[in-house]
Amino acid sequence: MTMTAAAERRVPPLAYGLLVVLCLALYLPGFFTLPPFDRDESRFAQASYQMLDTGDLVDIRFQDEARHKKPVGIYWMQSAATVLAGTPGVKEIWTYRLPSLLGAVAAVLLTAWAGARLFGTAVGLSAAVMLAGCVVLGVEARLAKTDAVLLATLVAAQGALALAYRARPGGEESAAPRWTWLLFWGAAGISVLVKGPLVALVSGGTAAGLVLADRLQGGRWSAGWLRALRPGWGLLLLAALVLPWLVAIAVQTKGAFFAESVGHDMLGKVASGQEGKGLPPGYYLLTFLVTFQPWAFLALAAVPWVWANRTRAAVRFCLAWIIPTWIVFELVPTKLLHYTLPAFPAVALLAAAMLHDGYERLRGRWPFRVALGLGAFGFAALAVAVAVLPWVIDRRINPAAVAAVPVVLVLFAGMVALLNRGRRTLGLAAGLASAGILYVAAYGATLPALDGLWVSRSAAALVAANRTCPGSVVASAGYSEPSLVFLVGTRTSLVSGDKAAAHLAAEPACALALVESRQEAAFRTGLDAAGIAAPQVQALGVAEGLNYNNGRRMVLTLYRLGR
């Protein structure tokens, strides 16, 4: 490769800096103000808090229950972030979200780097902008979970794999950089510690897909280019990163971790839909109209271009990245919106490549018009949903959310108009502005103000206002969301109505009971059994709203014994 060609495949430091600023502008609205949400976020954050509280950096626990579903990596990261933020003894959900924020930013930067090596600097930067602005990464950047960090490790591994593939015989490079294998196996090791063997599906599926595609294109069966990854030394590095904790957890749990994480969690997702999330194939194609906004129409419009350019090495690499991963997740019964996120950097790269190399030729054809119609419909539905949500939840109107709808739709239309005129940079900027304003309206103004959505927040405030004994334990009957445990305390007891009554009777001076209306009858029966007359029970207040995990409206009443 000549000096000029090499320069065209590198991202300037200033561009990386601007991408960081862009990511922070997109992800920080709501980052500090959104209460703990999503059952997984609260479980991860609470387990990380307990890791700090107990000093046990090997075993993972939620209250007294062993949490043997995911490896330890994210808990270490969340614990370290909380210590570095200076709040190890105080529960602030944002400190546990910091690894996700950094992971999302890193994934965007790595997409720019890998995309530049595959398609050139302009495409790499455009793809990074698309990934930064897409809906699903914006959600994951604000959640104390594994997925944003996992994405960063996967893109790093895929970038290293791309370097090795470009250095194959007859490829675009004479040799892969000497550090390629370190990047690949280091990223793979961290990925395994964060979420198990998913990297084997993404990178292994990509490598297998490339070998098959090269053969079908008239070549021969050859995987010799993978030698650039030095699998012998690489596996030793992987083992050095992963085995110490695997051995420690195997010894400490007598093998229970592997039985739970592999036998129940991973294989359970494959065999059937867990937690009511079993859905048919095609789900991810349909929800793509929301998850990749505001760029979904560009990705759909790129399909004819991708087919026409399928023999290009960079396009072939992205297809091998997307297709095996996407097919597996469509076939697995358990489906959640973010599961296909590992394929989104490659989707963004293909959409960006089409934007720079074929947009003008495609925009007058019927597939483009269909793609634009579907993409516009998905984005409009998303914007309207943000505006309607306060009425659905709290029966009120949020002026900021309503005002945002026409603004973001006009900006979306402006993006299309600018792109149609060949103004790519301004068009992408308009698309980012539409997404950014929608995210500010959603995460900064609308969601934090939805009292009916955050039942645990309301309940925790009610408990804090009435907790006269510093160490008093709350028994919650009929409401067992992990967010309640994170906000109210590790010792929070999740029980039935009759046991909540027994809890009050056992510690009459300090105990509190939070009782959901469906458990009131059992609570009253338990009071009678404990010999507590109704006048002795004092109702301190009510927290009510919608449990978004099961769609039920609920009323929680906080009780203590009268004095």
Side-chain angles (χ1 to χ4, degrees):
M1 180 184 291
T2 65
M3 291 285 290
T4 302
E8 291 174 350
R9 293 187 180 273
R10 289 196 172 93
V11 177
L14 177 60
Y16 282 125
L18 291 174
L19 284 174
V20 171
V21 172
L22 168 65
C23 288
L24 294 178
L26 290 170
Y27 303 150
L28 287 183
F31 185 83
F32 300 97
T33 57
L34 282 169
F37 72 108
D38 186 281
R39 287 180 175 177
D40 279 346
E41 173 176 49
S42 297
R43 288 185 182 120
F44 278 113
Q46 174 64 27
S48 296
Y49 171 82
Q50 289 181 217
M51 183 173 280
L52 287 173
D53 193 41
T54 62
D56 187 345
L57 300 180
V58 176
D59 203 3
I60 306 160
R61 294 198 167 262
F62 179 86
Q63 295 189 299
D64 294 328
E65 177 187 354
R67 184 161 167 78
H68 294 159
K69 293 189 174 184
K70 300 291 187 294
V72 77
I74 196 65
Y75 303 98
W76 284 347
M77 293 179 190
Q78 290 179 357
S79 299
T82 299
V83 171
L84 292 173
T87 62
V90 179
K91 280 185 177 177
E92 297 283 354
I93 188 61
W94 67 266
T95 67
Y96 299 91
R97 291 170 175 166
L98 285 172
S100 294
L101 175 66
L102 296 176
V105 174
V108 169
L109 300 181
L110 288 164
T111 297
W113 165 72
R117 299 306 294 258
L118 283 167
F119 291 98
T121 303
V123 172
L125 287 173
S126 296
V129 165
M130 291 182 190
L131 183 66
C134 77
V135 167
V136 70
L137 186 57
V139 172
E140 294 303 324
R142 293 173 171 86
L143 289 178
K145 292 167 49 189
T146 58
D147 298 281
V149 174
L150 173 70
L151 182 66
T153 65
L154 293 176
V155 179
Q158 291 294 92
L161 191 64
L163 293 178
Y165 185 64
R166 284 176 56 80
R168 72 196 183 283
E172 297 80 4
E173 303 273 3
S174 57
R178 300 177 72 177
W179 44 262
T180 300
W181 73 278
L182 284 170
L183 176 61
F184 180 82
W185 292 104
I190 297 172
S191 184
V192 170
L193 280 175
V194 168
K195 204 169 183 175
L198 187 62
V199 65
L201 167 62
V202 179
S203 293
T206 302
L210 289 171
V211 171
L212 176 61
D214 289 345
R215 177 68 179 88
L216 294 175
Q217 197 173 307
R220 56 189 179 85
W221 294 105
S222 176
W225 54 274
L226 289 170
R227 284 196 292 269
L229 300 178
R230 300 186 187 181
W233 288 105
L235 287 170
L236 287 176
L237 174 59
L238 179 69
L241 290 171
V242 173
L243 279 182
W245 177 76
L246 288 180
V247 171
I249 194 65
V251 171
Q252 186 159 330
T253 66
K254 297 180 174 60
F257 174 83
F258 300 103
E260 175 69 15
S261 63
V262 178
H264 181 265
D265 187 57
M266 187 174 72
L267 294 182
K269 286 182 171 67
V270 173
S272 62
Q274 287 188 344
E275 299 180 7
K277 301 299 190 297
L279 293 163
Y283 170 81
Y284 292 116
L285 287 176
L286 181 62
T287 56
F288 183 79
L289 293 177
V290 173
T291 54
F292 199 63
Q293 291 294 353
W295 324 107
F297 91 93
L298 285 173
L300 295 174
V303 172
W305 181 90
V306 170
W307 177 254
N309 291 273
R310 63 192 181 279
T311 59
R312 289 177 54 181
V315 174
R316 191 160 63 247
F317 184 89
C318 289
L319 288 174
W321 182 344
I322 296 167
I323 293 173
T325 300
W326 201 286
I327 288 175
V328 168
F329 282 121
E330 288 284 16
L331 293 178
V332 170
T334 301
K335 290 182 171 65
L336 292 171
L337 282 172
H338 64 274
Y339 276 7
T340 50
L341 179 58
F344 276 30
V347 172
L349 285 170
L350 292 178
M354 180 278 294
L355 182 62
H356 284 266
D357 185 47
Y359 187 89
E360 291 77 11
R361 297 189 302 275
L362 293 172
R363 66 184 179 89
R365 302 177 184 177
W366 70 264
F368 179 90
R369 291 193 291 270
V370 171
L372 178 57
L374 290 172
F377 172 79
F379 189 70
L382 186 64
V384 171
V386 171
V388 168
L389 195 60
W391 179 258
V392 173
I393 302 296
D394 285 346
R395 291 294 186 266
R396 63 181 179 82
I397 294 173
N398 187 309
V402 174
V405 173
V407 176
V408 300
L409 294 182
V410 167
L411 285 169
F412 183 89
M415 170 182 66
V416 176
L418 287 166
L419 293 179
N420 285 346
R421 295 174 186 173
R423 310 292 293 273
R424 284 190 292 267
T425 302
L426 288 176
L428 290 176
L432 278 175
S434 68
I437 292 173
L438 183 61
Y439 300 159
V440 169
Y443 300 118
T446 304
L447 289 175
L450 290 178
D451 291 331
L453 190 63
W454 312 113
V455 179
S456 292
R457 181 179 68 178
S458 299
L462 186 61
V463 168
N466 292 280
R467 186 178 251 161
T468 54
C469 300
S472 62
V473 176
V474 177
S476 177
Y479 184 69
S480 57
E481 291 302 316
S483 54
L484 182 71
V485 176
F486 181 83
L487 291 171
V488 174
T490 303
R491 296 173 62 205
T492 301
S493 182
L494 308 177
V495 296
S496 58
D498 57 333
K499 290 184 178 179
H503 172 75
L504 290 183
E507 196 177 354
C510 295
L512 297 170
L514 190 66
V515 182
E516 203 271 326
S517 57
R518 295 173 181 83
Q519 287 289 321
E520 280 285 345
F523 177 65
R524 296 295 171 182
T525 300
L527 291 174
D528 292 341
I532 300 173
Q536 293 178 264
V537 183
Q538 181 181 358
L540 303 173
V542 169
E544 57 184 309
L546 177 73
N547 186 336
Y548 54 83
N549 284 302
N550 58 29
R552 289 180 179 175
R553 289 200 169 269
M554 55 177 49
V555 178
L556 306 175
T557 305
L558 185 66
Y559 293 102
R560 73 178 172 200
L561 296 185
R563 300 180 181 182

